[in-house]
Amino acid sequence: MTEGKQVKTNYQNERELVVQTIDDLIHHGHLECNGGAVALRLADGNMMMTPTGAAVRRWRTEPEDLIVMTMQGDVVERGQYTSAASTLQCLMLLRAFPDANAIVHSHSPWSLTYAALGVSIPSAITSFDRYGDVPCIRCDDQELKRRFKEQPWPVEMPAAMLPRPEVAAVGEWVASKAVDVLASRTDELTAHGLAFTMYRHGIVVFAKSLERAVQDLTAIEANARIAQQSSVLRTAIADPGSDNPS
């Protein structure tokens, strides 16, 4: 047995579900080697999550690599890795939204374009109207980490993740702002997931199931693509001679 790696006796079906979800996200172009995470609330109230460095390892994640923790972030089962950097953020979202059981964080390119600008993703097609605009949580994580290192403040530090309180501070700040923005929409979780982007970082979708979260992320990404393409085309139609030399 690998040193520091515990024998897995529980949650096998859930482990396989998360690994299959990772494969689905890769198939849809949502996961790449720059980051991301998947988290699942388990029937016993614990949370299962992808490990740190999964993206760097090109998402070659085995079921035994997944970490199981309490909703306070204490390790229940783990392999050779700690949990992803967004651990505290995922824990806070699942605590705040009891009807949500799954979270997907990705750097999907069309939604990331809006995140890079720090603006919401607008509804561009009728099938997306029920989701409404996807808000952007404005947070420069590098600046926040710098401020924390210069003058630390109390922050929750889950035992399951790498002990980097400046990373936890970013997750705590983003999650608290997302809860403030989306708390009034919690009833929508019975029909579909909720989502937000993080400034210059990526998108987070949480829903009642992993299947629903993947479906919603795919819908958001398709809508973001149409919104951007229609904006470019609208500009071209409004000023058809803009590319012509004077």
Side-chain angles (χ1 to χ4, degrees):
M1 183 175 70
T2 303
E3 184 178 354
K5 194 170 185 178
Q6 301 177 7
V7 176
K8 307 301 180 301
T9 58
N10 300 309
Y11 313 111
Q12 191 60 35
N13 290 340
E14 292 86 350
R15 291 177 183 278
E16 292 173 1
L17 172 63
V18 172
V19 170
Q20 180 59 59
T21 299
I22 291 171
D23 291 341
D24 291 342
L25 290 166
I26 293 172
H27 173 75
H28 288 293
H30 297 314
L31 287 182
E32 27 76 306
C33 297
N34 287 326
V38 177
L40 175 67
R41 190 200 304 270
L42 302 168
D44 61 7
N46 291 325
M47 184 179 82
M48 180 178 289
M49 190 175 194
T50 47
T52 186
V56 176
R57 294 186 294 276
R58 291 175 286 177
W59 292 102
R60 293 174 179 172
T61 303
E62 299 297 330
E64 60 267 22
D65 293 332
L66 302 170
I67 298 100
V68 178
M69 67 192 78
T70 67
M71 291 303 293
Q72 288 69 48
D74 296 321
V75 176
V76 176
E77 291 184 357
R78 60 159 284 189
Q80 58 184 315
Y81 307 109
T82 55
S83 58
S86 58
T87 297
L88 180 54
Q89 182 183 119
C90 290
L91 288 169
M92 290 178 64
L93 289 172
L94 291 184
R95 291 175 199 159
F97 296 94
D99 291 329
N101 296 307
I103 299 174
V104 173
H105 164 48
S106 84
H107 299 169
S108 303
W110 294 99
S111 54
L112 183 55
T113 303
Y114 282 95
L117 296 173
V119 298
S120 299
I121 302 173
S123 178
I125 50 180
T126 56
S127 62
F128 196 79
D129 286 346
R130 63 178 178 159
Y131 291 91
D133 289 0
V134 175
C136 179
I137 305 301
R138 296 292 299 258
C139 173
D140 187 325
D141 58 356
Q142 297 304 315
E143 173 64 17
L144 191 61
K145 289 175 185 176
R146 183 191 64 78
R147 286 167 44 203
F148 183 89
K149 289 179 179 179
E150 289 180 353
Q151 191 171 0
W153 57 84
V155 63
E156 182 180 349
M157 189 68 246
M161 69 180 287
L162 198 66
R164 291 185 59 192
E166 75 278 8
V167 174
V170 172
E172 186 175 73
W173 195 94
V174 171
S176 63
K177 295 300 181 184
V179 171
D180 288 344
V181 171
L182 295 170
S184 63
R185 298 177 57 188
T186 185
D187 290 347
E188 295 179 35
L189 287 168
T190 59
H192 57 78
L194 296 174
F196 61 91
T197 62
M198 295 178 286
Y199 179 54
R200 301 179 63 201
H201 187 121
I203 187 167
V204 174
V205 180
F206 53 101
K208 60 186 177 183
S209 68
L210 275 175
E211 181 180 30
R212 181 77 245 184
V214 174
Q215 181 179 351
D216 291 334
L217 176 57
T218 303
I220 292 168
E221 190 70 352
N223 174 78
R225 182 181 70 248
I226 297 300
Q228 290 177 51
Q229 291 175 337
S230 61
S231 178
V232 171
L233 183 58
R234 186 181 301 112
T235 300
I237 292 173
D239 189 7
S242 60
D243 293 330
N244 295 332
S246 55

